[in-house]
Amino acid sequence: MSAPTPPSSPRVRNARGSLVVAIDGPAASGKSSTAQWVAQRLGFRHVDSGALYRAATAVAIARAGEEFDEPTVLAGLDEISLRPAQQSFTPTWRRGEMEELIRAPEVTRHVSRVAQMDGVRQWVNAHVRMAAEGCDVVVDGRDIGTVVFPDADLKVFLIADPWERARRRLTQRHGRGPTDAEIADETERLVQRDARDATQTVQAKDAILIDTTYLTQAEQVERIVSLAGVFRGIGPVNGSEPRS
Ligand code: DC
């Protein structure tokens, strides 16, 4: 008779001591909300690396307006820190909270340019790596599985059809179903953004590709949580059932 299977396998720790789940993919592929939810299910903290690029952009605009140059961006980085909260790490500005500021349309317009600056990329990567020093994290971005944590414990690359990404983004923004004309406009903008961010948006060779076009968010989360269990013995924590 075979031995009974234990209720869950032990977590496999790597040399870093903390576990890292990397979720990469293009704009509006649902990375951040999925990562946040996965982190909650696993009892990890969520780090949104895109939020740091946005924070750097927001501070540069506050200092010099939309015509800011690279030295202005670099000079503003000292004013931003990545603070641990209960379930996430969030960029905080010396002048206060940044949550709304980093989602402003002018930040979205300029963030791809800031994300091309080497000094900013090094600053973001250092902050994200520091966050993972003391605790288990789910990190989302574009190059987490390739550059920031090439040794991540689990790597996922999310994709979705551009039309569906545009439809989801507009529904979230306006709280109603968008028209076909609105989706067509937004699809155009997303495809342009994909092109601007293409250099760093790279699927790691050992990442698992998930096409979310026909998946609900709960299904995406479940797939990643199960992959974490299968590959690393990382199970969900008690009391963290997904919201319906
Ligand atoms: O995911 P997002 O829209 O918040 O990302 C904002 C910008 O930052 C976008 O231009 C892509 C860039 N980015 C990046 O280059 N590398 C990352 N790891 C995360 C985001």
Side-chain angles (χ1 to χ4, degrees):
M1 209 170 72
S2 58
T5 317
S8 65
S9 6
R11 294 180 172 200
V12 183
R13 296 234 161 238
N14 57 23
R16 197 186 311 106
S18 61
L19 296 165
V20 174
V21 175
I23 302 183
D24 289 308
S29 55
K31 297 181 306 286
S32 287
S33 40
T34 301
Q36 195 176 5
W37 199 349
V38 169
Q40 187 194 332
R41 293 267 283 136
L42 298 177
F44 288 18
R45 280 198 178 121
H46 172 221
V47 188
D48 171 1
S49 62
L52 279 165
Y53 290 101
R54 288 174 173 276
T57 310
V59 170
I61 294 174
R63 289 167 76 105
E66 291 191 47
E67 301 304 312
F68 63 82
D69 56 11
E70 187 164 350
T72 306
V73 180
L74 298 178
L77 298 180
D78 280 350
E79 298 187 10
I80 307 164
S81 55
L82 189 60
R83 295 252 174 92
Q86 209 179 356
Q87 294 185 327
S88 63
F89 282 87
T90 46
T92 311
W93 191 12
R94 198 185 282 167
R95 296 191 210 167
E97 286 305 315
M98 310 194 75
E99 232 170 282
E100 269 182 40
L101 200 59
I102 64 173
R103 305 288 158 200
E106 62 273 24
V107 171
T108 303
R109 270 198 297 278
H110 293 282
V111 66
S112 294
R113 175 158 70 96
V114 170
Q116 302 303 321
M117 299 173 185
D118 272 349
V120 179
R121 298 204 75 79
Q122 283 163 24
W123 173 83
V124 170
N125 296 352
H127 276 73
V128 174
R129 289 184 186 123
M130 256 188 298
E133 263 168 29
C135 62
D136 300 332
V137 286
V138 178
V139 188
D140 75 277
R142 302 292 198 287
D143 59 347
I144 305 305
T146 47
V147 175
V148 188
F149 294 112
D151 62 342
D153 300 276
L154 173 66
K155 300 180 188 179
V156 174
F157 197 84
L158 294 184
I159 54 163
D161 178 79
W163 182 272
E164 177 58 17
R165 286 192 275 141
R167 193 193 64 74
R168 287 177 190 166
R169 172 146 285 187
L170 290 171
T171 307
Q172 187 184 33
R173 193 182 297 155
H174 303 307
R176 62 166 170 83
T179 64
D180 280 0
E182 287 171 328
I183 302 177
D185 278 354
E186 186 66 20
T187 302
E188 175 86 29
R189 274 193 289 274
L190 269 182
V191 170
Q192 284 168 7
R193 255 193 89 189
D194 285 352
R196 287 201 296 273
D197 293 327
T199 330
Q200 66 267 27
T201 311
V202 182
Q203 183 185 346
K205 284 198 177 73
D206 51 348
I208 293 158
L209 182 73
I210 302 181
D211 184 341
T212 72
T213 308
Y214 302 106
L215 296 180
T216 64
Q217 198 171 30
E219 287 167 338
Q220 297 173 37
V221 170
E222 279 318 302
R223 282 208 188 172
I224 300 172
V225 169
S226 332
L227 286 170
V230 170
F231 284 93
R232 294 288 165 179
I234 309 168
V237 292
N238 290 339
S240 63
E241 287 309 304
R243 296 171 296 243
S244 51

